């Protein structure tokens, strides 16, 4: 239960400050992370982590 609350808080924090480019990275990462997490039984945690990684990669300067 603690992990679910932490994941939800992290996702809310990331989405609160997200603009158009960040949302795109977050959504794509959340889909990939959610699918990967679903395979091991942790779909919501995977989606939250994927969102965070997607957000980071969308903001990363090339």
């Amino acid at each position: 239960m603690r992990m679910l609350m932490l994941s939800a808080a992290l996702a809310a924090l990331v989405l609160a400050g997200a603009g158009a480019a960040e949302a795109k990275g977050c959504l794509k990462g959340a889909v990939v992370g959610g699918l990967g997490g679903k395979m091991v039984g942790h779909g919501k945690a995977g989606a939250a982590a994927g969102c965070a990684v997607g957000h980071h990669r969308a903001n990363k300067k090339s």
Side-chain angles (χ1 to χ4, degrees):
M1 185 64 155
R2 177 183 272 177
M3 185 62 164
L4 177 62
M5 294 301 287
L6 180 62
S7 299
L10 177 64
L13 181 64
V14 169
L15 290 174
E22 291 86 358
K24 184 175 182 182
C26 178
L27 293 175
K28 183 192 266 186
V31 168
V32 172
L35 290 174
K38 181 88 170 158
M39 296 293 191
V40 295
H42 299 286
K44 292 178 185 174
C51 178
V53 171
H55 177 73
H56 173 72
R57 292 191 68 162
N59 286 333
K60 191 167 126 178
K61 299 203 188 244
S62 306

